[in-house]
């Protein structure tokens, strides 16, 4: 399999049962329509079912997480068969193999003792729920690939979380394409310039901090620059882009039209931005208007901004935020 991130294909790891494959403990599946029918048109899925891959049968006894002697163990619900060591060894090996596939994101099955991203119930050995945390495989995945955008299928039904996840997936793909091979400082400078407004909409302080990393890159050296920039970039985009910050980014863009548009045209955009700020129209409305004028007047700096189209418009993610 090719592993070049500059290719068009964007790969997402996924819990196999979400694709409709009958791999669950009860012989069923958890096909997610949005994931399969909508996201499936844009991403290539890499399915992983940790329980089946570790050798458990279909159907099988359900497992749960149990806190025992300061450790989290994965035990059969009735038999208390201990799957912990096998699962941990498998997870380490499988995650190492996944690293080589250049994934740009991962969709996990909510609530699973293997795949759950968070809030998976953890029980006492007497069977009482005491706390919660990630499933064993998910925990290894997130520890080994801390920058990888990870989300659960349940949370993707929330418009803001969904938009944020897809923004991060495309951004991570761009980031890895940038740092693949022997990147030049001029490419990083151009990248930071293109991402400026997207970063402003998510985390303005981080956008400035990233600018400082770029400016200091000669002193930092290549490895430190890449690591610090990558961590800062993904952390910034993980912060939700609030309405006020979108408004600031949109108003910032308006400044570029000062000499190009008539007062009436500028006031039309300003009014639409105000409507968005007041929650009367979704983000796609001011964005569409701005894009129209950017195209019309060929505003080079703005036309290169990923903020204007951080993901395919057909996904309609900005129609609901
Ligand atoms: S949640 Fe994970 S372990 Fe469970 S069936 Fe789905 S893919 Fe397999």
């Amino acid at each position: 399999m090719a592993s070049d991130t500059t290719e068009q294909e964007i790969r997402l790891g996924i819990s196999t049962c979400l694709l409709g494959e009958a791999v669950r403990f009860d012989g069923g599946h958890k096909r997610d329509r949005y994931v399969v029918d909508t996201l499936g048109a844009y991403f290539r899925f890499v399915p992983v079912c940790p329980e089946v891959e570790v050798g458990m049968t279909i159907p099988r006894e359900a497992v749960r997480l149990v806190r025992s002697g300061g450790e989290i163990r994965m035990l059969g619900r009735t038999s208390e068969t201990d799957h912990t060591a096998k699962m941990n060894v498998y997870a380490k090996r499988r995650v190492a193999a996944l690293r080589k596939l250049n994934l740009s994101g991962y969709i996990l099955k909510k609530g699973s003792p293997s795949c759950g991203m968070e809030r998976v119930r953890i029980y006492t050995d007497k069977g009482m729920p005491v706390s919660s945390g990630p499933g064993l495989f998910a925990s290894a995945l997130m520890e080994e690939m801390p920058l990888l955008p990870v989300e659960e299928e349940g949370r993707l039904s929330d418009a803001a979380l969904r938009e944020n996840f897809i923004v991060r997936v495309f951004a991570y793909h761009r980031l890895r394409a940038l740092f693949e091979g022997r990147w030049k400082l001029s490419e990083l400078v151009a990248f930071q310039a293109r991402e400026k407004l997207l970063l402003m909409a998510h985390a303005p302080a981080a956008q400035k901090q990233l600018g400082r990393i770029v400016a200091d890159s000669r002193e930092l050296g290549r490895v430190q620059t890449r690591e610090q920039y990558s961590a800062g970039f993904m952390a910034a985009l993980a912060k939700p882009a609030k309405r006020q910050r979108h408004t600031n980014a949109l108003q910032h863009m308006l400044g570029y039209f000062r000499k190009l548009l008539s007062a009436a045209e500028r006031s039309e955009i300003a009014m639409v931005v105000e409507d968005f700020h007041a929650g009367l129209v979704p983000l796609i409305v001011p964005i569409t208007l701005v894009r129209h004028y950017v195209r019309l007047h060929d505003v080079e700096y703005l036309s290169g901004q990923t903020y204007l189209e951080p993901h395919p418009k057909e996904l309609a993610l900005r129609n609901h935020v």
Side-chain angles (χ1 to χ4, degrees), residues 210 212-226 228-229:
L210 287 165
R212 279 195 287 277
I213 294 173
V214 176
D216 293 346
S217 65
R218 287 198 200 284
E219 294 90 85
L220 286 171
R222 297 177 65 79
V223 174
Q224 279 297 314
T225 299
R226 189 190 65 224
Q228 288 186 23
Y229 189 89

mmCIF file of all heavy atoms in Angstrom, residues 210 212-226 228-229:
data_model
loop_
_atom_site.group_PDB
_atom_site.id
_atom_site.type_symbol
_atom_site.label_atom_id
_atom_site.label_comp_id
_atom_site.label_asym_id
_atom_site.label_seq_id
_atom_site.Cartn_x
_atom_site.Cartn_y
_atom_site.Cartn_z
ATOM 1 N N LEU A 210 2.369 30.175 16.952
ATOM 2 C CA LEU A 210 2.886 29.404 15.813
ATOM 3 C C LEU A 210 3.741 30.291 14.909
ATOM 4 O O LEU A 210 4.751 29.851 14.362
ATOM 5 C CB LEU A 210 1.726 28.791 15.021
ATOM 6 C CG LEU A 210 1.030 27.614 15.730
ATOM 7 C CD1 LEU A 210 -0.307 27.303 15.069
ATOM 8 C CD2 LEU A 210 1.910 26.382 15.733
ATOM 9 N N ARG A 212 5.578 32.655 15.933
ATOM 10 C CA ARG A 212 6.889 32.798 16.598
ATOM 11 C C ARG A 212 7.763 31.566 16.351
ATOM 12 O O ARG A 212 8.963 31.673 16.158
ATOM 13 C CB ARG A 212 6.689 33.035 18.108
ATOM 14 C CG ARG A 212 6.358 34.499 18.426
ATOM 15 C CD ARG A 212 6.522 34.817 19.896
ATOM 16 N NE ARG A 212 5.444 34.233 20.689
ATOM 17 C CZ ARG A 212 4.249 34.794 20.860
ATOM 18 N NH1 ARG A 212 3.985 35.959 20.313
ATOM 19 N NH2 ARG A 212 3.330 34.202 21.582
ATOM 20 N N ILE A 213 7.106 30.382 16.344
ATOM 21 C CA ILE A 213 7.887 29.149 16.068
ATOM 22 C C ILE A 213 8.486 29.239 14.661
ATOM 23 O O ILE A 213 9.654 28.924 14.446
ATOM 24 C CB ILE A 213 6.988 27.890 16.210
ATOM 25 C CG1 ILE A 213 6.554 27.730 17.670
ATOM 26 C CG2 ILE A 213 7.720 26.631 15.730
ATOM 27 C CD1 ILE A 213 5.526 26.630 17.905
ATOM 28 N N VAL A 214 7.693 29.713 13.716
ATOM 29 C CA VAL A 214 8.182 29.844 12.335
ATOM 30 C C VAL A 214 9.345 30.842 12.295
ATOM 31 O O VAL A 214 10.397 30.582 11.701
ATOM 32 C CB VAL A 214 7.044 30.291 11.380
ATOM 33 C CG1 VAL A 214 7.585 30.520 9.972
ATOM 34 C CG2 VAL A 214 5.923 29.259 11.362
ATOM 35 N N ALA A 215 9.165 31.970 12.999
ATOM 36 C CA ALA A 215 10.209 33.006 12.988
ATOM 37 C C ALA A 215 11.500 32.502 13.638
ATOM 38 O O ALA A 215 12.595 32.894 13.238
ATOM 39 C CB ALA A 215 9.693 34.250 13.715
ATOM 40 N N ASP A 216 11.363 31.631 14.658
ATOM 41 C CA ASP A 216 12.547 31.143 15.395
ATOM 42 C C ASP A 216 13.100 29.845 14.818
ATOM 43 O O ASP A 216 13.949 29.202 15.433
ATOM 44 C CB ASP A 216 12.184 30.881 16.871
ATOM 45 C CG ASP A 216 11.847 32.175 17.581
ATOM 46 O OD1 ASP A 216 12.143 33.249 17.028
ATOM 47 O OD2 ASP A 216 11.265 32.099 18.682
ATOM 48 N N SER A 217 12.600 29.430 13.683
ATOM 49 C CA SER A 217 12.900 28.064 13.227
ATOM 50 C C SER A 217 14.391 27.824 12.985
ATOM 51 O O SER A 217 14.867 26.711 13.170
ATOM 52 C CB SER A 217 12.086 27.720 11.990
ATOM 53 O OG SER A 217 12.483 28.529 10.954
ATOM 54 N N ARG A 218 15.129 28.852 12.612
ATOM 55 C CA ARG A 218 16.570 28.614 12.379
ATOM 56 C C ARG A 218 17.267 28.253 13.685
ATOM 57 O O ARG A 218 18.097 27.347 13.725
ATOM 58 C CB ARG A 218 17.211 29.847 11.753
ATOM 59 C CG ARG A 218 16.800 30.027 10.296
ATOM 60 C CD ARG A 218 17.720 30.956 9.526
ATOM 61 N NE ARG A 218 17.060 31.469 8.334
ATOM 62 C CZ ARG A 218 16.865 30.775 7.226
ATOM 63 N NH1 ARG A 218 17.275 29.533 7.133
ATOM 64 N NH2 ARG A 218 16.224 31.314 6.195
ATOM 65 N N GLU A 219 16.895 28.942 14.761
ATOM 66 C CA GLU A 219 17.510 28.617 16.068
ATOM 67 C C GLU A 219 16.995 27.268 16.588
ATOM 68 O O GLU A 219 17.726 26.506 17.190
ATOM 69 C CB GLU A 219 17.184 29.678 17.131
ATOM 70 C CG GLU A 219 17.780 31.054 16.868
ATOM 71 C CD GLU A 219 16.842 31.936 16.052
ATOM 72 O OE1 GLU A 219 15.992 32.565 16.668
ATOM 73 O OE2 GLU A 219 16.960 31.966 14.805
ATOM 74 N N LEU A 220 15.716 27.002 16.333
ATOM 75 C CA LEU A 220 15.133 25.759 16.862
ATOM 76 C C LEU A 220 15.668 24.516 16.155
ATOM 77 O O LEU A 220 15.788 23.451 16.755
ATOM 78 C CB LEU A 220 13.597 25.788 16.690
ATOM 79 C CG LEU A 220 12.812 26.692 17.629
ATOM 80 C CD1 LEU A 220 11.358 26.787 17.186
ATOM 81 C CD2 LEU A 220 12.883 26.162 19.054
ATOM 82 N N GLY A 221 15.973 24.648 14.893
ATOM 83 C CA GLY A 221 16.383 23.476 14.106
ATOM 84 C C GLY A 221 15.173 22.771 13.520
ATOM 85 O O GLY A 221 14.036 23.006 13.948
ATOM 86 N N ARG A 222 15.415 21.899 12.558
ATOM 87 C CA ARG A 222 14.313 21.287 11.792
ATOM 88 C C ARG A 222 13.397 20.418 12.656
ATOM 89 O O ARG A 222 12.179 20.517 12.578
ATOM 90 C CB ARG A 222 14.881 20.430 10.656
ATOM 91 C CG ARG A 222 15.660 21.222 9.631
ATOM 92 C CD ARG A 222 16.243 20.299 8.581
ATOM 93 N NE ARG A 222 15.193 19.658 7.795
ATOM 94 C CZ ARG A 222 14.540 20.256 6.803
ATOM 95 N NH1 ARG A 222 14.825 21.503 6.479
ATOM 96 N NH2 ARG A 222 13.608 19.619 6.137
ATOM 97 N N VAL A 223 14.010 19.570 13.493
ATOM 98 C CA VAL A 223 13.197 18.610 14.255
ATOM 99 C C VAL A 223 12.306 19.336 15.260
ATOM 100 O O VAL A 223 11.089 19.102 15.330
ATOM 101 C CB VAL A 223 14.104 17.567 14.953
ATOM 102 C CG1 VAL A 223 13.288 16.655 15.862
ATOM 103 C CG2 VAL A 223 14.849 16.743 13.904
ATOM 104 N N GLN A 224 12.913 20.238 16.024
ATOM 105 C CA GLN A 224 12.143 20.985 17.025
ATOM 106 C C GLN A 224 11.054 21.830 16.362
ATOM 107 O O GLN A 224 9.943 21.928 16.849
ATOM 108 C CB GLN A 224 13.068 21.908 17.825
ATOM 109 C CG GLN A 224 13.808 21.202 18.936
ATOM 110 C CD GLN A 224 12.849 20.654 19.989
ATOM 111 O OE1 GLN A 224 11.931 21.331 20.429
ATOM 112 N NE2 GLN A 224 13.019 19.399 20.347
ATOM 113 N N THR A 225 11.412 22.456 15.244
ATOM 114 C CA THR A 225 10.422 23.285 14.548
ATOM 115 C C THR A 225 9.243 22.427 14.129
ATOM 116 O O THR A 225 8.077 22.774 14.383
ATOM 117 C CB THR A 225 11.043 23.943 13.293
ATOM 118 O OG1 THR A 225 12.107 24.776 13.708
ATOM 119 C CG2 THR A 225 10.016 24.772 12.531
ATOM 120 N N ARG A 226 9.539 21.291 13.502
ATOM 121 C CA ARG A 226 8.446 20.432 13.025
ATOM 122 C C ARG A 226 7.595 19.950 14.205
ATOM 123 O O ARG A 226 6.373 20.021 14.156
ATOM 124 C CB ARG A 226 9.026 19.225 12.271
ATOM 125 C CG ARG A 226 7.961 18.409 11.560
ATOM 126 C CD ARG A 226 8.495 17.093 11.030
ATOM 127 N NE ARG A 226 8.897 16.239 12.126
ATOM 128 C CZ ARG A 226 10.018 15.524 12.163
ATOM 129 N NH1 ARG A 226 10.854 15.559 11.163
ATOM 130 N NH2 ARG A 226 10.308 14.773 13.198
ATOM 131 N N GLN A 228 7.289 21.153 17.380
ATOM 132 C CA GLN A 228 6.561 22.209 18.102
ATOM 133 C C GLN A 228 5.434 22.780 17.245
ATOM 134 O O GLN A 228 4.337 23.032 17.728
ATOM 135 C CB GLN A 228 7.516 23.330 18.515
ATOM 136 C CG GLN A 228 8.439 22.928 19.648
ATOM 137 C CD GLN A 228 9.281 24.099 20.134
ATOM 138 O OE1 GLN A 228 8.937 25.271 19.963
ATOM 139 N NE2 GLN A 228 10.409 23.789 20.744
ATOM 140 N N TYR A 229 5.721 22.973 15.969
ATOM 141 C CA TYR A 229 4.694 23.546 15.100
ATOM 142 C C TYR A 229 3.520 22.569 14.959
ATOM 143 O O TYR A 229 2.350 22.959 15.069
ATOM 144 C CB TYR A 229 5.266 23.898 13.727
ATOM 145 C CG TYR A 229 4.279 24.685 12.887
ATOM 146 C CD1 TYR A 229 4.249 26.074 12.948
ATOM 147 C CD2 TYR A 229 3.333 24.033 12.093
ATOM 148 C CE1 TYR A 229 3.311 26.802 12.229
ATOM 149 C CE2 TYR A 229 2.393 24.748 11.375
ATOM 150 C CZ TYR A 229 2.391 26.132 11.446
ATOM 151 O OH TYR A 229 1.446 26.841 10.742
#
